[in-house]
Amino acid sequence: MKDNFDAIISRNTLFWLLITNVAVLSPLYQQATLWSIGICAICFVWRVGIYLGKVAAPPKLLVTSLAVGAATTLALVSSEIGLLNALVNLLILGYALKYIEMREQRDVKAIVLVGYFLIALTLLDQQSMLNTLHLLAVVIINTGILVSVYQDKSNKIANLGFSVKLVLHSLPLAILLFVVFPRLGPLWMVPNIKSATTGLSDEMSFGDINKLTRSAELAFRVGFENPDGSTLGPANQDLYWRTLVMENYDGKTWRQDQSIKTIQRQAYFQKPQREQAVITANNRKIEYMVISEPSHQKWLYGLDEAFSDNNQIVELPDYRLYSLRPIDQRMSYRVVSYPNNIMELTLKDNTKQLNLALPPNSNLKTQTLAKRFAQDYPDPQTRINAMMNYFAEQAYYYTLSPPSVGEQQIDDFLFENRAGFCAHYASALVFMARASGIPARMVTGYQGGEYNPQAGYYSVYQYMAHAWTEVWLEGQGWQRFDPTAMIAPQRILDGFDATFDSQSSYLQDSPFSPLRMKQYPWLNELRQQLSSLDYYWSVWVLGFDEERKQQVLSKLLGDVTSSKIALMMILSFIIIALVIGYYAGLFSINRNDDPLNKRYNLICQRLAKKGITRPQGQAAHDFANHVQTTLAQQHPAIAREFMALSTAYMALKYQPLTTLQTRQHMQQFMRLYRTLRLRLLHS
């Protein structure tokens, strides 16, 4: 088919351009600045005016001025919104400005190509199942523009239907390449100067985790892979998802030590070495897969001493998992944990001093209490147990709305307020342990998880953020102690939901969260079923790594070899090409796919059964006259209706019609076709 690049854009194409413009740009609204949104709105309103015939195309000077102004503005604010967002906005503005100044069909093709690029860019950031289905619909609409260019006389529904067929024809090839093509990592890294972060931070003060308890956002999901095929993980009280270790305390804020930050920065170039753990006699292994939501940070989640064979993940000396790249999109990785391993059996002198350090002249009352514990309980194990029991024996309370504290935070909490949440109790225990001579540090992460029996996985939400204490004991290494379990045991045994009412905690700022369905059993089951679909999507599509690819190919081919894969690809390409060629009409196969011809010929066949045969090559008009002459006396209604049917048929086949005329003739043809089919059947 020959391109006519200089042809004027038809109204049919203009209509599809209006729909496509909104469809392509709408998923990118979060990345767009107000300036970009304003220019896109101006361009859209102007194009609506052109479609309605109210305004003419804007002068090129105006379009150029808008382009220069937009580029200058983006250059000025790029340091605030981030380089990646600035580039996205530049592409959005280019798309909108090209959209408003297009005049010929060559411009339409450029708009379509840029639209496909924007869709692909959106898919990099929005990969959930619902977002993917949404973007697939956008692809169909964008393809509808090209269809309207080449099939201008077709109605809009026909354009959309043909666009759907084109996309469906491409799916087998896409699936083949997805299954067979090697899994490749990113070819480049795009710097992201600033981006919104979700979840834990590498600094923690008393109010930080309290803020997270109001967030119902999903942090990550976990699927356990047990040897017996079951999907249940450890008990809730054992689900401590280790994320960050903080060893520096200045009296107000807990922070990561500078030494571990240096290791993190150098991890991409020099893989850190973790001290070999001591394996105990009752050693056991837990295998699971984690699907992390975008956090725009690099820290990951694991139970106890965790290992991952992912080449983009390293194991840090403080027994955490760390990604070499920021988690800017969903990331799945496999983990093996050894909960009974001894972590750091021998403590280095500098690590010991770091985890015994206290800010000068800080919380003197707490230091006095800690020294009394040291005198009464010389054995460190007995001493730390006594400190844990102290929280249970005294009148302490667990609350998400604790009273404020002053400069001496720990003193105010322990001796005045006596009410707080996990960060208060963990901080107090670390401080007392250090003051009594026991190395201790703060660990933050998440505790617990909501089990989904539909798909067999755990969902961990931001409101499950938690803080606990690790102390170092001779011969035992780092051991976990959670004073929250002494104050609010249900928080640890049964999870956050068992302790706090959703209306007063994690759903307070989320009035439309699906988690509100928990109180209605059938709605909660529906919520979990929908979540299961998204989980399967994450596992089998987003998490389709080399291991899963080998599993699929093994089921299809048996022993996976290069020759078998090459043969499968060649055969698949041939089959796909034959199917596409068949539907494109490239093969000389006697078939009649035109529904109009098919219906007309059916009526002619039924007339033949009545003795009225249409000679080969006879024009439809001449045959209609013959039928009318033959049946005028016996069946005047059939003669009259067949003449009208033939007139509509010839108009649809051979006359240039407008969209309205085409619809009217088609309606008349279908009405007469149904009537004649019944009349000829019973007459």
Side-chain angles (χ1 to χ4, degrees):
M1 184 175 293
K2 184 178 180 180
D3 282 321
N4 186 5
F5 289 112
D6 299 324
I8 301 300
I9 304 171
S10 66
R11 285 185 58 79
N12 191 11
T13 301
L14 288 175
F15 170 81
W16 280 109
L17 283 166
L18 292 176
I19 302 298
T20 307
N21 183 261
V22 177
V24 170
L25 294 180
S26 57
L28 292 166
Y29 73 95
Q30 292 181 330
Q31 286 84 5
T33 64
L34 289 177
W35 176 255
S36 300
I37 293 174
I39 291 181
C40 290
I42 292 172
C43 294
F44 180 76
V45 171
W46 199 306
R47 182 51 67 178
V48 171
I50 294 175
Y51 178 75
L52 297 176
K54 302 297 184 181
V55 296
K60 290 188 176 182
L61 180 60
L62 175 61
V63 177
T64 303
S65 300
L66 284 174
V68 173
T72 303
T73 304
L74 284 176
L76 294 175
V77 302
S78 60
S79 60
E80 298 179 8
I81 65 175
L83 181 58
L84 179 59
N85 283 343
L87 294 174
V88 172
N89 276 268
L90 187 62
L91 187 60
I92 290 173
L93 290 171
Y95 179 79
L97 294 173
K98 183 64 179 177
Y99 170 74
I100 194 178
E101 65 97 23
M102 62 183 177
R103 290 173 172 82
E104 301 170 348
Q105 285 190 3
R106 67 172 71 244
D107 299 324
V108 175
K109 295 176 177 63
I111 288 290
V112 172
L113 291 176
V114 177
Y116 284 129
F117 191 83
L118 283 170
I119 293 169
L121 185 65
T122 306
L123 189 61
L124 294 177
D125 185 56
Q126 303 178 25
Q127 297 181 341
S128 69
M129 185 178 65
L130 289 178
N131 286 332
T132 303
L133 292 175
H134 174 208
L135 291 175
L136 181 62
V138 176
V139 168
I140 292 173
I141 295 173
N142 196 51
T143 307
I145 298 180
L146 286 179
V147 175
S148 69
V149 170
Y150 293 106
Q151 296 187 1
D152 181 45
K153 294 181 181 179
S154 301
N155 58 42
K156 299 177 180 63
I157 301 300
N159 291 153
L160 186 62
F162 191 70
S163 177
V164 171
K165 290 181 181 178
L166 289 176
V167 174
L168 290 178
H169 287 165
S170 68
L171 285 181
L173 180 60
I175 294 173
L176 174 67
L177 294 177
F178 178 80
V179 173
V180 177
F181 207 77
R183 306 289 99 187
L184 299 177
L187 299 180
W188 63 83
M189 292 184 64
V190 180
N192 197 358
I193 296 177
K194 283 195 175 183
S195 57
T197 57
T198 302
L200 297 169
S201 170
D202 59 356
E203 296 183 0
M204 191 204 73
S205 57
F206 279 177
D208 291 341
I209 291 183
N210 186 26
K211 294 176 184 176
L212 282 182
T213 59
R214 298 181 182 274
S215 172
E217 292 187 24
L218 182 66
F220 58 96
R221 286 175 290 194
V222 183
F224 287 93
E225 301 169 348
N226 300 320
D228 60 359
S230 64
T231 57
L232 279 174
N236 196 84
Q237 64 264 29
D238 296 324
L239 295 178
Y240 280 83
W241 304 101
R242 187 187 192 88
T243 305
L244 288 161
V245 175
M246 302 182 188
E247 299 171 296
N248 284 341
Y249 181 58
D250 61 4
K252 294 183 179 180
T253 304
W254 287 95
R255 294 183 176 88
Q256 286 186 294
D257 185 62
Q258 191 60 42
S259 61
I260 197 68
K261 288 186 176 182
T262 302
I263 293 175
Q264 290 176 173
R265 285 194 299 268
Q266 298 175 350
Y268 189 83
F269 307 99
Q270 182 180 357
K271 189 173 182 179
Q273 297 296 320
R274 178 188 291 180
E275 181 179 309
Q276 185 66 35
V278 177
I279 301 176
T280 61
N282 60 343
N283 185 57
R284 65 189 181 96
K285 179 173 67 172
I286 302 175
E287 298 184 43
Y288 50 97
M289 185 179 73
V290 179
I291 302 175
S292 174
E293 294 296 306
S295 64
H296 307 289
Q297 302 287 4
K298 294 184 178 181
W299 39 79
L300 297 172
Y301 320 100
L303 296 173
D304 303 296
E305 186 177 15
F307 298 88
S308 177
D309 58 2
N310 191 312
N311 57 12
Q312 293 297 314
I313 297 175
V314 296
E315 292 117 11
L316 295 176
D318 57 1
Y319 299 92
R320 296 184 297 118
L321 296 178
Y322 189 75
S323 173
L324 297 179
R325 302 179 187 275
I327 314 302
D328 293 325
Q329 59 189 35
R330 279 187 183 175
M331 175 182 178
S332 64
Y333 56 98
R334 297 182 180 277
V335 186
V336 177
S337 288
Y338 298 90
N340 297 326
N341 279 6
I342 297 177
M343 296 187 293
E344 207 163 358
L345 183 62
T346 303
L347 196 64
K348 297 178 181 178
D349 289 339
N350 58 339
T351 305
K352 182 177 182 179
Q353 294 302 319
L354 175 64
N355 289 280
L356 285 173
L358 293 173
N361 302 319
S362 174
N363 301 292
L364 299 181
K365 292 182 180 180
T366 304
Q367 292 194 43
T368 301
L369 176 63
K371 291 175 182 177
R372 189 161 65 245
F373 273 113
Q375 292 175 356
D376 295 342
Y377 305 97
D379 177 59
Q381 176 72 68
T382 307
R383 187 188 317 158
I384 198 69
N385 290 336
M387 291 179 180
M388 289 282 287
N389 291 328
Y390 176 80
F391 290 107
E393 294 167 355
Q394 301 298 316
Y396 287 101
Y397 304 95
Y398 194 79
T399 176
L400 293 178
S401 302
S404 59
V405 294
E407 291 294 324
Q408 304 298 319
Q409 290 184 343
I410 309 298
D411 281 356
D412 289 350
F413 163 64
L414 282 178
F415 301 103
E416 301 295 335
N417 299 336
R418 294 178 173 269
F421 48 91
C422 58
H424 294 76
Y425 291 101
S427 296
L429 183 59
V430 174
F431 195 97
M432 287 195 298
R434 288 186 176 186
S436 72
I438 303 176
R441 60 191 184 185
M442 173 80 72
V443 182
T444 61
Y446 298 85
Q447 200 281 321
E450 180 195 31
Y451 182 66
N452 186 324
Q454 306 290 340
Y457 70 92
Y458 290 78
S459 296
V460 181
Y461 299 94
Q462 293 295 347
Y463 67 79
M464 296 176 179
H466 194 57
W468 60 93
T469 301
E470 278 187 350
V471 302
W472 189 86
L473 299 174
E474 189 74 34
Q476 301 181 48
W478 290 106
Q479 296 291 311
R480 179 177 65 239
F481 288 88
D482 189 357
T484 300
M486 310 302 292
I487 309 301
Q490 294 303 116
R491 163 68 179 89
I492 306 303
L493 293 174
D494 299 327
F496 192 93
D497 298 328
T499 306
F500 295 101
D501 175 47
S502 61
Q503 306 300 321
S504 61
S505 57
Y506 56 89
L507 297 186
Q508 187 175 12
D509 298 334
S510 306
F512 303 108
S513 172
L515 291 172
R516 289 184 178 272
M517 298 180 184
K518 282 186 176 182
Q519 53 187 320
Y520 307 105
W522 69 275
L523 285 177
N524 187 52
E525 184 178 355
L526 176 62
R527 175 185 70 88
Q528 291 194 329
Q529 288 177 346
L530 294 176
S531 298
S532 298
L533 291 176
D534 190 63
Y535 174 74
Y536 288 133
W537 171 263
S538 300
V539 170
W540 289 105
V541 179
L542 301 184
F544 192 78
D545 53 14
E546 281 295 322
E547 182 177 347
R548 291 196 179 276
K549 187 189 81 170
Q550 292 299 322
Q551 292 175 358
V552 173
L553 291 177
S554 297
K555 291 181 180 180
L556 294 175
L557 305 176
D559 293 334
V560 180
T561 62
S562 300
S563 58
K564 286 186 177 181
I565 293 177
L567 181 61
M568 186 184 76
M569 291 187 67
I570 292 173
L571 291 176
S572 300
F573 279 131
I574 291 174
I575 293 173
I576 293 171
L578 289 175
V579 172
I580 294 176
Y582 173 79
Y583 280 101
L586 298 180
F587 306 117
S588 56
I589 300 176
N590 292 326
R591 60 188 179 92
N592 188 4
D593 286 336
D594 188 344
L596 196 66
N597 287 339
K598 185 176 180 180
R599 294 186 176 97
Y600 177 77
N601 290 333
L602 177 63
I603 299 299
C604 292
Q605 290 170 8
R606 295 200 174 177
L607 285 170
K609 292 180 180 180
K610 303 296 182 183
I612 307 174
T613 304
R614 179 188 179 190
Q616 187 174 3
Q618 186 178 35
H621 177 71
D622 294 337
F623 183 60
N625 289 332
H626 174 63
V627 172
Q628 189 174 35
T629 302
T630 306
L631 299 179
Q633 298 298 325
Q634 295 181 347
H635 302 287
I638 293 178
R640 184 174 59 254
E641 290 167 352
F642 185 75
M643 175 60 76
L645 178 106
S646 300
T647 302
Y649 172 75
M650 289 184 291
L652 289 168
K653 292 292 291 183
Y654 307 115
Q655 294 181 13
L657 302 174
T658 64
T659 302
L660 178 61
Q661 290 172 333
T662 301
R663 183 163 57 249
Q664 291 174 344
H665 280 294
M666 181 59 73
Q667 290 173 350
Q668 182 184 19
F669 178 87
M670 292 302 299
R671 177 178 57 81
L672 293 167
Y673 164 73
R674 287 189 290 266
T675 303
L676 278 170
R677 187 176 57 178
L678 293 175
R679 285 189 189 278
L680 292 171
L681 184 64
H682 298 295
S683 62

